Amino acid sequence: MAKVSTGFSLAIEYHREEDGRWLADIAALPGVTAYGRSRRQATVAVQALAQRLIADRLEHGEAVPGPMNVSFIAA
């Protein structure tokens, strides 16, 4: 049996609010949006949320099982 590896990148989009907070959003994963006092905090928070969502989908059979590599690209 062949080993299947699935890899994909998720683009993070950033917006700065008038109050100075950063908003990080991953459009490919609806609802995966996080705020942070700094761009770095928003990045870490949105990455963690994306990983939780991906793990939940895997647990419920909503994604192809197997090795998975995920990377994030700041847009």
Side-chain angles (χ1 to χ4, degrees):
M1 185 179 293
K3 192 174 189 179
V4 177
S5 179
T6 303
F8 56 92
S9 296
L10 298 169
I12 302 172
E13 297 176 11
Y14 297 95
H15 305 281
R16 189 133 193 213
E17 299 288 316
E18 289 183 21
D19 63 4
R21 293 181 299 161
W22 284 90
L23 173 71
D25 179 67
I26 299 177
L29 298 173
V32 177
T33 302
Y35 280 99
R37 283 177 276 160
S38 67
R39 184 175 166 139
R40 175 77 179 133
Q41 283 182 337
T43 299
V44 169
V46 81
Q47 287 175 343
L49 184 57
Q51 290 173 356
R52 286 186 204 108
L53 176 69
I54 291 166
D56 187 59
R57 287 183 178 179
L58 286 169
E59 288 176 16
H60 292 94
E62 297 176 23
V64 179
M68 183 176 292
N69 298 314
V70 178
S71 62
F72 296 89
I73 301 169

Short mmCIF file of all heavy atoms in Angstrom, two decimals:
data_model
loop_
_atom_site.label_atom_id
_atom_site.label_comp_id
_atom_site.label_asym_id
_atom_site.label_seq_id
_atom_site.Cartn_x
_atom_site.Cartn_y
_atom_site.Cartn_z
N MET A 1 0.85 -1.18 0.00
CA MET A 1 0.00 0.00 0.00
C MET A 1 0.89 1.24 0.00
O MET A 1 1.84 1.34 0.77
CB MET A 1 -0.91 -0.02 1.23
CG MET A 1 -1.91 1.12 1.23
SD MET A 1 -3.02 1.12 2.65
CE MET A 1 -3.96 -0.35 2.33
N ALA A 2 0.59 2.20 -0.85
CA ALA A 2 1.36 3.43 -0.94
C ALA A 2 1.03 4.37 0.21
O ALA A 2 -0.11 4.45 0.64
CB ALA A 2 1.09 4.12 -2.28
N LYS A 3 2.04 5.05 0.68
CA LYS A 3 1.85 6.04 1.73
C LYS A 3 1.43 7.36 1.08
O LYS A 3 2.06 7.81 0.13
CB LYS A 3 3.16 6.23 2.50
CG LYS A 3 3.03 6.98 3.77
CD LYS A 3 4.35 6.97 4.51
CE LYS A 3 4.19 7.55 5.89
NZ LYS A 3 5.44 7.52 6.64
N VAL A 4 0.37 7.94 1.57
CA VAL A 4 -0.15 9.19 1.01
C VAL A 4 0.17 10.34 1.95
O VAL A 4 -0.06 10.25 3.15
CB VAL A 4 -1.69 9.11 0.80
CG1 VAL A 4 -2.22 10.43 0.29
CG2 VAL A 4 -2.03 7.98 -0.15
N SER A 5 0.72 11.40 1.41
CA SER A 5 1.02 12.59 2.19
C SER A 5 0.22 13.75 1.64
O SER A 5 0.21 13.99 0.44
CB SER A 5 2.51 12.90 2.13
OG SER A 5 2.80 14.06 2.86
N THR A 6 -0.48 14.45 2.50
CA THR A 6 -1.27 15.60 2.10
C THR A 6 -0.64 16.84 2.71
O THR A 6 -0.42 16.91 3.91
CB THR A 6 -2.72 15.45 2.62
OG1 THR A 6 -3.24 14.23 2.13
CG2 THR A 6 -3.57 16.58 2.16
N GLY A 7 -0.36 17.83 1.90
CA GLY A 7 0.21 19.08 2.40
C GLY A 7 -0.52 20.25 1.78
O GLY A 7 -0.99 20.18 0.65
N PHE A 8 -0.67 21.30 2.52
CA PHE A 8 -1.31 22.50 2.01
C PHE A 8 -0.87 23.69 2.83
O PHE A 8 -0.39 23.55 3.93
CB PHE A 8 -2.83 22.38 2.00
CG PHE A 8 -3.46 22.04 3.32
CD1 PHE A 8 -3.89 23.04 4.17
CD2 PHE A 8 -3.62 20.73 3.71
CE1 PHE A 8 -4.47 22.74 5.39
CE2 PHE A 8 -4.20 20.41 4.93
CZ PHE A 8 -4.62 21.41 5.76
N SER A 9 -1.00 24.85 2.23
CA SER A 9 -0.66 26.09 2.92
C SER A 9 -1.93 26.90 3.13
O SER A 9 -2.83 26.87 2.29
CB SER A 9 0.33 26.92 2.08
OG SER A 9 1.54 26.23 1.94
N LEU A 10 -1.99 27.60 4.23
CA LEU A 10 -3.14 28.45 4.54
C LEU A 10 -2.68 29.89 4.63
O LEU A 10 -1.80 30.22 5.42
CB LEU A 10 -3.76 28.02 5.88
CG LEU A 10 -4.31 26.60 5.91
CD1 LEU A 10 -4.65 26.20 7.34
CD2 LEU A 10 -5.53 26.48 5.02
N ALA A 11 -3.25 30.74 3.80
CA ALA A 11 -2.89 32.16 3.80
C ALA A 11 -3.58 32.87 4.96
O ALA A 11 -4.78 32.70 5.17
CB ALA A 11 -3.29 32.80 2.48
N ILE A 12 -2.81 33.67 5.68
CA ILE A 12 -3.35 34.47 6.77
C ILE A 12 -3.44 35.91 6.28
O ILE A 12 -2.45 36.47 5.81
CB ILE A 12 -2.45 34.41 8.02
CG1 ILE A 12 -2.29 32.96 8.50
CG2 ILE A 12 -3.03 35.29 9.14
CD1 ILE A 12 -1.26 32.80 9.60
N GLU A 13 -4.62 36.49 6.39
CA GLU A 13 -4.82 37.89 6.03
C GLU A 13 -4.91 38.70 7.32
O GLU A 13 -5.49 38.25 8.31
CB GLU A 13 -6.10 38.05 5.22
CG GLU A 13 -6.06 37.31 3.90
CD GLU A 13 -7.36 37.38 3.15
OE1 GLU A 13 -8.25 38.16 3.53
OE2 GLU A 13 -7.49 36.63 2.16
N TYR A 14 -4.34 39.91 7.29
CA TYR A 14 -4.30 40.75 8.48
C TYR A 14 -5.03 42.08 8.24
O TYR A 14 -5.00 42.62 7.15
CB TYR A 14 -2.85 41.08 8.85
CG TYR A 14 -2.04 39.87 9.22
CD1 TYR A 14 -1.26 39.22 8.28
CD2 TYR A 14 -2.06 39.36 10.52
CE1 TYR A 14 -0.51 38.10 8.62
CE2 TYR A 14 -1.31 38.25 10.86
CZ TYR A 14 -0.55 37.63 9.91
OH TYR A 14 0.19 36.52 10.25
N HIS A 15 -5.65 42.54 9.30
CA HIS A 15 -6.28 43.86 9.30
C HIS A 15 -5.97 44.50 10.65
O HIS A 15 -5.96 43.82 11.67
CB HIS A 15 -7.81 43.75 9.13
CG HIS A 15 -8.20 42.97 7.91
ND1 HIS A 15 -8.17 43.50 6.65
CD2 HIS A 15 -8.61 41.69 7.76
CE1 HIS A 15 -8.56 42.59 5.78
NE2 HIS A 15 -8.83 41.47 6.43
N ARG A 16 -5.74 45.79 10.65
CA ARG A 16 -5.50 46.50 11.90
C ARG A 16 -6.72 47.33 12.23
O ARG A 16 -7.20 48.12 11.41
CB ARG A 16 -4.28 47.40 11.79
CG ARG A 16 -3.88 47.97 13.13
CD ARG A 16 -2.41 47.83 13.33
NE ARG A 16 -2.09 48.08 14.72
CZ ARG A 16 -0.97 48.63 15.10
NH1 ARG A 16 -0.07 48.98 14.21
NH2 ARG A 16 -0.73 48.82 16.37
N GLU A 17 -7.26 47.14 13.42
CA GLU A 17 -8.43 47.86 13.87
C GLU A 17 -8.03 49.28 14.30
O GLU A 17 -6.87 49.54 14.59
CB GLU A 17 -9.08 47.12 15.05
CG GLU A 17 -9.55 45.72 14.71
CD GLU A 17 -10.78 45.71 13.83
OE1 GLU A 17 -11.70 46.48 14.09
OE2 GLU A 17 -10.79 44.91 12.86
N GLU A 18 -9.01 50.16 14.38
CA GLU A 18 -8.75 51.53 14.80
C GLU A 18 -8.18 51.62 16.21
O GLU A 18 -7.43 52.53 16.54
CB GLU A 18 -10.02 52.37 14.69
CG GLU A 18 -10.43 52.67 13.27
CD GLU A 18 -11.65 53.55 13.18
OE1 GLU A 18 -11.97 54.26 14.15
OE2 GLU A 18 -12.28 53.54 12.11
N ASP A 19 -8.55 50.65 17.06
CA ASP A 19 -8.05 50.66 18.44
C ASP A 19 -6.65 50.04 18.56
O ASP A 19 -6.12 49.90 19.65
CB ASP A 19 -9.03 49.95 19.38
CG ASP A 19 -9.22 48.48 19.06
OD1 ASP A 19 -8.53 47.94 18.16
OD2 ASP A 19 -10.07 47.84 19.72
N GLY A 20 -6.04 49.65 17.43
CA GLY A 20 -4.69 49.12 17.43
C GLY A 20 -4.59 47.61 17.43
O GLY A 20 -3.51 47.05 17.22
N ARG A 21 -5.70 46.93 17.71
CA ARG A 21 -5.66 45.46 17.71
C ARG A 21 -5.47 44.94 16.29
O ARG A 21 -5.87 45.57 15.32
CB ARG A 21 -6.96 44.87 18.26
CG ARG A 21 -7.21 45.13 19.71
CD ARG A 21 -8.50 44.50 20.16
NE ARG A 21 -9.62 45.07 19.38
CZ ARG A 21 -10.82 44.50 19.27
NH1 ARG A 21 -11.07 43.36 19.87
NH2 ARG A 21 -11.76 45.07 18.56
N TRP A 22 -4.87 43.76 16.21
CA TRP A 22 -4.70 43.08 14.93
C TRP A 22 -5.72 41.97 14.79
O TRP A 22 -6.02 41.26 15.75
CB TRP A 22 -3.30 42.48 14.83
CG TRP A 22 -2.26 43.50 14.56
CD1 TRP A 22 -1.54 44.21 15.49
CD2 TRP A 22 -1.82 43.96 13.29
NE1 TRP A 22 -0.69 45.08 14.87
CE2 TRP A 22 -0.83 44.93 13.50
CE3 TRP A 22 -2.16 43.63 11.98
CZ2 TRP A 22 -0.18 45.58 12.46
CZ3 TRP A 22 -1.51 44.28 10.94
CH2 TRP A 22 -0.53 45.24 11.19
N LEU A 23 -6.25 41.83 13.60
CA LEU A 23 -7.18 40.76 13.26
C LEU A 23 -6.50 39.87 12.24
O LEU A 23 -6.00 40.36 11.21
CB LEU A 23 -8.47 41.34 12.67
CG LEU A 23 -9.48 40.35 12.12
CD1 LEU A 23 -10.12 39.59 13.28
CD2 LEU A 23 -10.53 41.06 11.30
N ALA A 24 -6.41 38.58 12.52
CA ALA A 24 -5.84 37.60 11.59
C ALA A 24 -6.97 36.68 11.15
O ALA A 24 -7.76 36.21 11.98
CB ALA A 24 -4.73 36.81 12.26
N ASP A 25 -7.05 36.42 9.85
CA ASP A 25 -8.16 35.65 9.30
C ASP A 25 -7.61 34.66 8.27
O ASP A 25 -6.71 34.99 7.50
CB ASP A 25 -9.15 36.60 8.62
CG ASP A 25 -10.31 35.88 7.99
OD1 ASP A 25 -11.11 35.29 8.75
OD2 ASP A 25 -10.42 35.90 6.75
N ILE A 26 -8.17 33.44 8.28
CA ILE A 26 -7.82 32.45 7.26
C ILE A 26 -9.07 32.21 6.44
O ILE A 26 -9.99 31.49 6.86
CB ILE A 26 -7.30 31.14 7.89
CG1 ILE A 26 -6.03 31.43 8.70
CG2 ILE A 26 -7.05 30.09 6.82
CD1 ILE A 26 -5.46 30.24 9.42
N ALA A 27 -9.14 32.83 5.27
CA ALA A 27 -10.33 32.79 4.42
C ALA A 27 -10.69 31.36 3.98
O ALA A 27 -11.86 31.04 3.81
CB ALA A 27 -10.15 33.69 3.21
N ALA A 28 -9.69 30.51 3.82
CA ALA A 28 -9.93 29.13 3.39
C ALA A 28 -10.64 28.30 4.45
O ALA A 28 -11.19 27.24 4.14
CB ALA A 28 -8.62 28.46 3.00
N LEU A 29 -10.65 28.79 5.69
CA LEU A 29 -11.32 28.11 6.80
C LEU A 29 -12.32 29.09 7.41
O LEU A 29 -11.98 29.83 8.34
CB LEU A 29 -10.30 27.65 7.85
CG LEU A 29 -9.25 26.64 7.39
CD1 LEU A 29 -8.22 26.41 8.50
CD2 LEU A 29 -9.90 25.32 6.98
N PRO A 30 -13.53 29.14 6.88
CA PRO A 30 -14.52 30.10 7.39
C PRO A 30 -14.67 30.04 8.91
O PRO A 30 -14.73 28.96 9.49
CB PRO A 30 -15.82 29.67 6.70
CG PRO A 30 -15.35 29.01 5.44
CD PRO A 30 -14.08 28.31 5.82
N GLY A 31 -14.66 31.20 9.52
CA GLY A 31 -14.80 31.29 10.97
C GLY A 31 -13.48 31.27 11.72
O GLY A 31 -13.46 31.48 12.93
N VAL A 32 -12.39 31.02 11.03
CA VAL A 32 -11.08 30.98 11.69
C VAL A 32 -10.50 32.39 11.64
O VAL A 32 -9.84 32.80 10.69
CB VAL A 32 -10.14 29.93 11.06
CG1 VAL A 32 -8.78 29.97 11.73
CG2 VAL A 32 -10.76 28.54 11.20
N THR A 33 -10.81 33.15 12.69
CA THR A 33 -10.42 34.55 12.83
C THR A 33 -10.02 34.76 14.28
O THR A 33 -10.67 34.23 15.18
CB THR A 33 -11.61 35.47 12.49
OG1 THR A 33 -12.03 35.19 11.15
CG2 THR A 33 -11.25 36.93 12.61
N ALA A 34 -8.96 35.54 14.50
CA ALA A 34 -8.52 35.79 15.87
C ALA A 34 -7.95 37.20 15.98
O ALA A 34 -7.38 37.73 15.03
CB ALA A 34 -7.46 34.77 16.29
N TYR A 35 -8.12 37.78 17.16
CA TYR A 35 -7.56 39.10 17.48
C TYR A 35 -6.32 38.94 18.33
O TYR A 35 -6.16 37.95 19.04
CB TYR A 35 -8.57 39.93 18.28
CG TYR A 35 -9.63 40.57 17.45
CD1 TYR A 35 -10.90 40.00 17.35
CD2 TYR A 35 -9.40 41.77 16.78
CE1 TYR A 35 -11.89 40.59 16.59
CE2 TYR A 35 -10.38 42.36 16.02
CZ TYR A 35 -11.63 41.78 15.92
OH TYR A 35 -12.59 42.37 15.17
N GLY A 36 -5.47 39.96 18.30
CA GLY A 36 -4.31 40.02 19.17
C GLY A 36 -3.89 41.47 19.37
O GLY A 36 -4.19 42.31 18.53
N ARG A 37 -3.22 41.74 20.49
CA ARG A 37 -2.72 43.10 20.73
C ARG A 37 -1.59 43.44 19.77
O ARG A 37 -1.33 44.60 19.49
CB ARG A 37 -2.26 43.25 22.17
CG ARG A 37 -3.45 43.41 23.13
CD ARG A 37 -2.96 43.50 24.54
NE ARG A 37 -2.79 42.10 24.97
CZ ARG A 37 -2.05 41.69 25.97
NH1 ARG A 37 -1.39 42.54 26.69
NH2 ARG A 37 -1.97 40.42 26.27
N SER A 38 -0.91 42.39 19.28
CA SER A 38 0.14 42.57 18.29
C SER A 38 -0.15 41.63 17.11
O SER A 38 -0.94 40.69 17.23
CB SER A 38 1.51 42.23 18.88
OG SER A 38 1.59 40.85 19.16
N ARG A 39 0.51 41.89 15.99
CA ARG A 39 0.34 41.02 14.83
C ARG A 39 0.78 39.60 15.19
O ARG A 39 0.16 38.62 14.80
CB ARG A 39 1.15 41.57 13.66
CG ARG A 39 0.96 40.80 12.37
CD ARG A 39 1.69 41.48 11.24
NE ARG A 39 1.79 40.58 10.11
CZ ARG A 39 1.62 40.94 8.86
NH1 ARG A 39 1.36 42.19 8.56
NH2 ARG A 39 1.75 40.06 7.89
N ARG A 40 1.86 39.48 15.96
CA ARG A 40 2.37 38.16 16.37
C ARG A 40 1.34 37.41 17.21
O ARG A 40 1.11 36.22 17.01
CB ARG A 40 3.67 38.34 17.14
CG ARG A 40 4.23 37.07 17.72
CD ARG A 40 4.91 36.24 16.67
NE ARG A 40 5.44 35.03 17.28
CZ ARG A 40 5.29 33.84 16.78
NH1 ARG A 40 4.66 33.65 15.65
NH2 ARG A 40 5.79 32.79 17.38
N GLN A 41 0.70 38.09 18.17
CA GLN A 41 -0.32 37.44 18.99
C GLN A 41 -1.49 36.97 18.14
O GLN A 41 -2.03 35.88 18.36
CB GLN A 41 -0.83 38.39 20.08
CG GLN A 41 0.10 38.55 21.24
CD GLN A 41 -0.49 39.46 22.31
OE1 GLN A 41 -1.35 40.29 22.04
NE2 GLN A 41 -0.01 39.32 23.53
N ALA A 42 -1.91 37.79 17.20
CA ALA A 42 -3.01 37.41 16.31
C ALA A 42 -2.62 36.20 15.46
O ALA A 42 -3.43 35.29 15.25
CB ALA A 42 -3.42 38.58 15.43
N THR A 43 -1.37 36.18 15.00
CA THR A 43 -0.89 35.06 14.19
C THR A 43 -0.91 33.76 14.98
O THR A 43 -1.42 32.74 14.51
CB THR A 43 0.55 35.34 13.69
OG1 THR A 43 0.54 36.51 12.89
CG2 THR A 43 1.10 34.17 12.89
N VAL A 44 -0.36 33.79 16.17
CA VAL A 44 -0.32 32.59 17.01
C VAL A 44 -1.74 32.10 17.31
O VAL A 44 -2.03 30.91 17.23
CB VAL A 44 0.46 32.87 18.32
CG1 VAL A 44 0.30 31.74 19.32
CG2 VAL A 44 1.93 33.10 18.00
N ALA A 45 -2.63 33.02 17.63
CA ALA A 45 -4.01 32.65 17.97
C ALA A 45 -4.74 32.04 16.78
O ALA A 45 -5.44 31.04 16.92
CB ALA A 45 -4.77 33.87 18.49
N VAL A 46 -4.57 32.62 15.59
CA VAL A 46 -5.29 32.10 14.42
C VAL A 46 -4.70 30.76 13.99
O VAL A 46 -5.42 29.86 13.54
CB VAL A 46 -5.35 33.13 13.27
CG1 VAL A 46 -4.08 33.17 12.44
CG2 VAL A 46 -6.56 32.88 12.39
N GLN A 47 -3.39 30.57 14.13
CA GLN A 47 -2.79 29.28 13.80
C GLN A 47 -3.30 28.19 14.74
O GLN A 47 -3.62 27.09 14.30
CB GLN A 47 -1.26 29.37 13.87
CG GLN A 47 -0.66 30.14 12.73
CD GLN A 47 0.85 30.31 12.87
OE1 GLN A 47 1.42 30.14 13.94
NE2 GLN A 47 1.49 30.69 11.78
N ALA A 48 -3.38 28.49 16.02
CA ALA A 48 -3.88 27.51 17.00
C ALA A 48 -5.33 27.15 16.69
O ALA A 48 -5.71 25.97 16.73
CB ALA A 48 -3.75 28.06 18.41
N LEU A 49 -6.14 28.15 16.36
CA LEU A 49 -7.54 27.90 16.03
C LEU A 49 -7.65 27.05 14.77
O LEU A 49 -8.46 26.10 14.72
CB LEU A 49 -8.28 29.23 15.85
CG LEU A 49 -9.78 29.16 15.59
CD1 LEU A 49 -10.50 28.40 16.70
CD2 LEU A 49 -10.33 30.58 15.46
N ALA A 50 -6.85 27.33 13.76
CA ALA A 50 -6.87 26.55 12.53
C ALA A 50 -6.48 25.09 12.80
O ALA A 50 -7.11 24.17 12.28
CB ALA A 50 -5.93 27.16 11.50
N GLN A 51 -5.47 24.89 13.63
CA GLN A 51 -5.06 23.53 13.95
C GLN A 51 -6.14 22.77 14.70
O GLN A 51 -6.36 21.58 14.45
CB GLN A 51 -3.75 23.55 14.74
CG GLN A 51 -2.59 24.00 13.88
CD GLN A 51 -1.30 24.20 14.66
OE1 GLN A 51 -1.27 24.08 15.89
NE2 GLN A 51 -0.23 24.50 13.96
N ARG A 52 -6.84 23.45 15.60
CA ARG A 52 -7.96 22.80 16.31
C ARG A 52 -9.06 22.41 15.34
O ARG A 52 -9.64 21.32 15.43
CB ARG A 52 -8.52 23.72 17.39
CG ARG A 52 -7.62 23.84 18.59
CD ARG A 52 -8.30 24.66 19.71
NE ARG A 52 -7.29 25.22 20.56
CZ ARG A 52 -6.95 26.50 20.61
NH1 ARG A 52 -7.58 27.40 19.88
NH2 ARG A 52 -6.00 26.91 21.40
N LEU A 53 -9.39 23.28 14.40
CA LEU A 53 -10.43 23.00 13.42
C LEU A 53 -10.03 21.81 12.54
O LEU A 53 -10.83 20.91 12.30
CB LEU A 53 -10.71 24.22 12.55
CG LEU A 53 -11.72 24.00 11.43
CD1 LEU A 53 -13.12 23.80 12.01
CD2 LEU A 53 -11.71 25.15 10.45
N ILE A 54 -8.78 21.80 12.07
CA ILE A 54 -8.30 20.71 11.23
C ILE A 54 -8.34 19.39 12.00
O ILE A 54 -8.80 18.37 11.49
CB ILE A 54 -6.89 21.01 10.71
CG1 ILE A 54 -6.96 22.17 9.70
CG2 ILE A 54 -6.27 19.78 10.06
CD1 ILE A 54 -5.61 22.79 9.37
N ALA A 55 -7.90 19.40 13.26
CA ALA A 55 -7.93 18.19 14.09
C ALA A 55 -9.37 17.70 14.27
O ALA A 55 -9.63 16.49 14.19
CB ALA A 55 -7.28 18.47 15.45
N ASP A 56 -10.29 18.62 14.50
CA ASP A 56 -11.70 18.25 14.67
C ASP A 56 -12.25 17.60 13.40
O ASP A 56 -12.95 16.60 13.46
CB ASP A 56 -12.52 19.49 15.05
CG ASP A 56 -13.95 19.14 15.40
OD1 ASP A 56 -14.16 18.35 16.35
OD2 ASP A 56 -14.87 19.64 14.71
N ARG A 57 -11.91 18.18 12.25
CA ARG A 57 -12.36 17.60 10.98
C ARG A 57 -11.80 16.20 10.78
O ARG A 57 -12.50 15.30 10.32
CB ARG A 57 -11.98 18.51 9.82
CG ARG A 57 -12.82 19.76 9.77
CD ARG A 57 -12.46 20.60 8.57
NE ARG A 57 -13.30 21.80 8.51
CZ ARG A 57 -13.18 22.72 7.56
NH1 ARG A 57 -12.28 22.59 6.61
NH2 ARG A 57 -13.97 23.76 7.57
N LEU A 58 -10.53 16.01 11.11
CA LEU A 58 -9.92 14.69 10.99
C LEU A 58 -10.62 13.69 11.90
O LEU A 58 -10.90 12.56 11.50
CB LEU A 58 -8.43 14.75 11.32
CG LEU A 58 -7.53 15.39 10.26
CD1 LEU A 58 -6.14 15.63 10.82
CD2 LEU A 58 -7.48 14.52 9.03
N GLU A 59 -10.89 14.10 13.14
CA GLU A 59 -11.56 13.21 14.09
C GLU A 59 -12.94 12.79 13.64
O GLU A 59 -13.41 11.72 13.97
CB GLU A 59 -11.66 13.89 15.46
CG GLU A 59 -10.33 14.00 16.18
CD GLU A 59 -10.44 14.76 17.49
OE1 GLU A 59 -11.57 14.94 18.00
OE2 GLU A 59 -9.39 15.18 17.99
N HIS A 60 -13.60 13.64 12.86
CA HIS A 60 -14.95 13.35 12.41
C HIS A 60 -15.01 12.85 10.96
O HIS A 60 -16.05 12.83 10.34
CB HIS A 60 -15.84 14.59 12.58
CG HIS A 60 -16.08 14.91 14.01
ND1 HIS A 60 -15.29 15.81 14.70
CD2 HIS A 60 -16.96 14.41 14.90
CE1 HIS A 60 -15.71 15.87 15.96
NE2 HIS A 60 -16.72 15.03 16.11
N GLY A 61 -13.85 12.46 10.44
CA GLY A 61 -13.79 11.89 9.10
C GLY A 61 -14.08 12.88 7.98
O GLY A 61 -14.49 12.48 6.89
N GLU A 62 -13.89 14.15 8.23
CA GLU A 62 -14.19 15.16 7.23
C GLU A 62 -12.99 15.50 6.35
O GLU A 62 -13.07 16.35 5.50
CB GLU A 62 -14.73 16.42 7.91
CG GLU A 62 -16.03 16.19 8.63
CD GLU A 62 -16.51 17.41 9.38
OE1 GLU A 62 -16.11 18.53 9.04
OE2 GLU A 62 -17.28 17.23 10.33
N ALA A 63 -11.85 14.83 6.57
CA ALA A 63 -10.67 15.06 5.76
C ALA A 63 -10.03 13.71 5.47
O ALA A 63 -10.30 12.72 6.15
CB ALA A 63 -9.69 15.97 6.49
N VAL A 64 -9.18 13.66 4.47
CA VAL A 64 -8.49 12.42 4.13
C VAL A 64 -7.50 12.09 5.23
O VAL A 64 -6.64 12.91 5.56
CB VAL A 64 -7.75 12.59 2.78
CG1 VAL A 64 -7.01 11.31 2.43
CG2 VAL A 64 -8.73 12.97 1.68
N PRO A 65 -7.62 10.90 5.84
CA PRO A 65 -6.69 10.52 6.89
C PRO A 65 -5.31 10.24 6.33
O PRO A 65 -5.16 9.86 5.18
CB PRO A 65 -7.30 9.26 7.50
CG PRO A 65 -8.18 8.72 6.44
CD PRO A 65 -8.63 9.89 5.60
N GLY A 66 -4.31 10.41 7.12
CA GLY A 66 -2.94 10.16 6.70
C GLY A 66 -2.03 11.28 7.15
O GLY A 66 -2.48 12.25 7.75
N PRO A 67 -0.76 11.16 6.86
CA PRO A 67 0.20 12.20 7.25
C PRO A 67 -0.20 13.54 6.65
O PRO A 67 -0.67 13.61 5.52
CB PRO A 67 1.52 11.72 6.67
CG PRO A 67 1.34 10.27 6.46
CD PRO A 67 -0.11 10.07 6.16
N MET A 68 -0.05 14.59 7.40
CA MET A 68 -0.45 15.91 6.94
C MET A 68 0.57 16.93 7.38
O MET A 68 0.97 16.96 8.53
CB MET A 68 -1.82 16.27 7.51
CG MET A 68 -2.35 17.59 7.02
SD MET A 68 -4.01 17.95 7.60
CE MET A 68 -4.93 16.71 6.72
N ASN A 69 0.99 17.76 6.45
CA ASN A 69 1.90 18.87 6.73
C ASN A 69 1.13 20.15 6.47
O ASN A 69 0.57 20.34 5.40
CB ASN A 69 3.13 18.83 5.84
CG ASN A 69 3.95 17.59 6.05
OD1 ASN A 69 4.20 17.21 7.18
ND2 ASN A 69 4.35 16.94 4.99
N VAL A 70 1.11 21.05 7.44
CA VAL A 70 0.41 22.32 7.30
C VAL A 70 1.41 23.44 7.53
O VAL A 70 2.17 23.41 8.49
CB VAL A 70 -0.75 22.44 8.31
CG1 VAL A 70 -1.43 23.78 8.17
CG2 VAL A 70 -1.73 21.31 8.14
N SER A 71 1.42 24.42 6.64
CA SER A 71 2.24 25.60 6.84
C SER A 71 1.36 26.83 6.64
O SER A 71 0.33 26.76 5.99
CB SER A 71 3.43 25.63 5.88
OG SER A 71 2.99 25.68 4.54
N PHE A 72 1.76 27.94 7.22
CA PHE A 72 1.00 29.17 7.14
C PHE A 72 1.83 30.22 6.39
O PHE A 72 3.02 30.34 6.62
CB PHE A 72 0.66 29.70 8.54
CG PHE A 72 -0.23 28.77 9.31
CD1 PHE A 72 0.30 27.77 10.10
CD2 PHE A 72 -1.61 28.92 9.24
CE1 PHE A 72 -0.52 26.93 10.81
CE2 PHE A 72 -2.43 28.06 9.95
CZ PHE A 72 -1.89 27.06 10.74
N ILE A 73 1.17 30.97 5.52
CA ILE A 73 1.84 32.01 4.75
C ILE A 73 1.14 33.34 5.03
O ILE A 73 -0.07 33.45 4.82
CB ILE A 73 1.77 31.70 3.25
CG1 ILE A 73 2.45 30.36 2.95
CG2 ILE A 73 2.41 32.82 2.45
CD1 ILE A 73 2.21 29.85 1.57
N ALA A 74 1.88 34.30 5.51
CA ALA A 74 1.30 35.63 5.77
C ALA A 74 1.06 36.32 4.43
O ALA A 74 1.96 36.44 3.62
CB ALA A 74 2.22 36.46 6.64
N ALA A 75 -0.18 36.73 4.20
CA ALA A 75 -0.54 37.38 2.93
C ALA A 75 -0.26 38.86 2.99
O ALA A 75 -0.21 39.47 4.00
CB ALA A 75 -2.02 37.15 2.63
#
